Amino acid sequence: MADAVFLALTVITIGSAIAALEMRSLIYGSIALMGTLGGIAGFFFLLDAPFVALFQIAVYVGSIAVLILFTVMLVKRELIFKKIEDKRRKFAGIGLMLIIMVSLGAVFLDSGIKTMTTDEPAPDFRDIGIDFVTYYWPALILMGLLLAGSVTGALVLAKREDVENDQRAN
Amino acid sequence: MTSELIDFTLVSVALLGIGIYGLAVKRNFIRMLFAVEIIINAANLNIVAFGRFLPHSSGQTMALFSIAIAAAEVAVGLSLIIVAYRMYQNVDIADFRSLKG
């Protein structure tokens, strides 16, 4: 059964996921999102995947969360602290969440994975590197091109074309 | 591995539910991106948890690909937020109606 570290990570992850969505300030919300992403990294450590965990910390906690923080800072101050949500949909959303959690949870609890345990030794993270440069090398190159393309696309999208019209700068 | 597979799966289901709640209720573009991030992380957690049962490291390799593609998605999504904010001076998706027929 679950041990103390697992329970603590669960509380951190789910609590900060709720906080990320429900906190009034978007800045605190994005810091809470960092807690969720870090908690997931902790789960990866528990699953004997230290390389994926460090990748998660480097990519998500390190870069994506900071990118989100900077985007939040570009937004007007009153919008950061304003809660925009459909009041009518709130209860429907909570109901949908509970339906998904209960039904999927019941399915999983009823299925065979409840008793699945493994005696496999933890995979060596050096195998990941070998995988990347042997079997998965076309996918790795495609992924690099995709990342370069998306970052370039993001820069092109966010480029201002009205810089000479400096009314926005003020 | 002291915890069992079902524990990780249940955490993942809880995160999926929270993410779908956020997508359904929130109208703030940035918060919806938070919800998408939470859902993607629930999926990654599942991938690694099930991949632990393989004798080789394919599950972790797949999770790494998934994380990298999610990073690309976030970069594009954030720049879309910036463009939409510049056009409408708001982050409420109810205002982004110019594509509505």
Side-chain angles (χ1 to χ4, degrees):
Chain A
M1 205 41 214
D3 53 355
V5 180
F6 182 86
L7 282 180
L9 278 176
T10 307
V11 170
I12 290 174
T13 308
I14 294 182
S16 53
I18 295 172
L21 291 175
E22 288 300 332
M23 270 193 167
R24 183 161 287 276
S25 157
L26 269 177
I27 294 177
Y28 289 138
S30 40
I31 292 171
L33 187 71
M34 273 190 201
T36 308
L37 305 173
I40 298 275
F43 283 128
F44 290 162
F45 275 117
L46 285 187
L47 282 164
D48 302 322
F51 185 71
V52 185
L54 290 177
F55 200 78
Q56 166 96 1
I57 291 174
V59 172
Y60 270 110
V61 186
S63 71
I64 288 181
V66 174
L67 203 63
I68 289 176
L69 263 179
F70 271 97
T71 310
V72 170
M73 287 175 199
L74 286 176
V75 173
K76 264 189 299 193
R77 196 180 152 159
E78 56 264 31
L79 288 178
I80 292 181
F81 293 101
K82 196 169 128 196
K83 232 179 178 178
I84 316 171
E85 61 185 27
D86 276 339
K87 290 275 185 293
R88 286 174 300 156
R89 281 202 196 168
K90 182 139 193 172
F91 294 107
I94 292 175
L96 186 66
M97 175 178 78
L98 289 179
I99 287 172
I100 288 172
M101 281 183 187
V102 171
S103 56
L104 274 181
V107 167
F108 283 132
L109 280 175
D110 205 33
S111 67
I113 63 172
K114 191 180 178 188
T115 52
M116 265 171 88
T117 49
T118 181
D119 295 329
E120 299 278 354
D124 192 354
F125 58 84
R126 278 173 293 195
D127 291 345
I128 300 173
I130 295 172
D131 274 353
F132 268 136
V133 293
T134 54
Y135 187 71
Y136 291 105
W137 70 266
L140 185 69
I141 291 175
L142 267 181
M143 191 176 77
L145 288 175
L146 176 88
L147 272 175
S150 73
V151 171
T152 317
L155 284 177
V156 171
L157 270 178
K159 190 165 144 289
R160 295 175 65 137
E161 285 158 6
D162 55 341
V163 177
E164 68 278 0
N165 179 10
D166 59 353
Q167 62 192 14
R168 294 262 169 82
N170 297 324
Chain B
M1 193 163 85
T2 51
S3 304
E4 289 166 12
L5 176 63
I6 186 72
D7 302 331
F8 293 99
T9 316
L10 288 181
V11 171
S12 167
V13 166
L15 286 177
L16 173 73
I18 293 169
I20 286 179
Y21 159 77
L23 276 184
V25 172
K26 303 293 169 189
R27 285 198 339 227
N28 188 329
F29 205 155
I30 302 177
R31 289 241 198 248
M32 293 178 81
L33 200 73
F34 288 2
V36 172
E37 287 302 304
I38 292 171
I39 293 177
I40 291 175
N41 272 283
N44 285 341
L45 181 60
N46 252 343
I47 291 175
V48 176
F50 278 88
R52 178 68 181 80
F53 283 74
L54 297 175
H56 41 78
S57 62
S58 294
Q60 298 186 21
T61 314
M62 168 124 182
L64 290 178
F65 277 117
S66 167
I67 291 174
I69 290 171
E73 172 258 328
V74 171
V76 175
L78 286 175
S79 68
L80 283 177
I81 289 175
I82 291 176
V83 173
Y85 175 70
R86 201 179 290 152
M87 284 172 74
Y88 295 95
Q89 295 293 314
N90 204 346
V91 287
D92 188 350
I93 54 158
D95 285 356
F96 302 163
R97 287 180 184 271
S98 62
L99 277 181
K100 196 175 177 183

